[in-house]
Amino acid sequence: MAHPKRKISKTRRDTRRAHDFLTGKQLSVDSSTGEIHQFHRAHVHEGNLVYRGKVVVENYAKTV
């Protein structure tokens, strides 16, 4: 049966377990387009890049 050679400290144990409790990304609905997107992120709607209800880049889908 396997045994650890050294005791794992509480700090190392808790640091490893910190990633087990991550939450999902927060989503928002844009009031002007109705698109679901992440908070503080621009999103593509009908080929245009939109941020906070305003068109930032037109024809974004063609440029990328």
Side-chain angles (χ1 to χ4, degrees):
M1 194 154 102
H3 292 295
K5 191 167 186 176
R6 300 257 184 254
K7 180 180 178 180
I8 303 297
S9 69
K10 296 177 189 110
T11 304
R12 283 189 179 268
R13 178 199 64 199
D14 293 343
T15 304
R16 184 184 70 245
R17 292 180 181 173
H19 299 287
D20 295 342
F21 303 103
L22 293 175
T23 58
K25 307 210 184 245
Q26 282 201 330
L27 299 177
S28 170
V29 178
D30 193 340
S31 59
S32 63
T33 62
E35 287 276 326
I36 297 175
H37 62 92
Q38 287 185 22
F39 276 118
H40 303 103
R41 299 288 190 276
H43 61 279
V44 178
H45 177 70
E46 296 179 356
N48 298 327
L49 191 66
V50 180
Y51 181 69
R52 297 183 72 180
K54 298 175 185 170
V55 176
V56 180
V57 178
E58 293 185 5
N59 298 326
Y60 178 76
K62 294 179 184 177
T63 60
V64 172

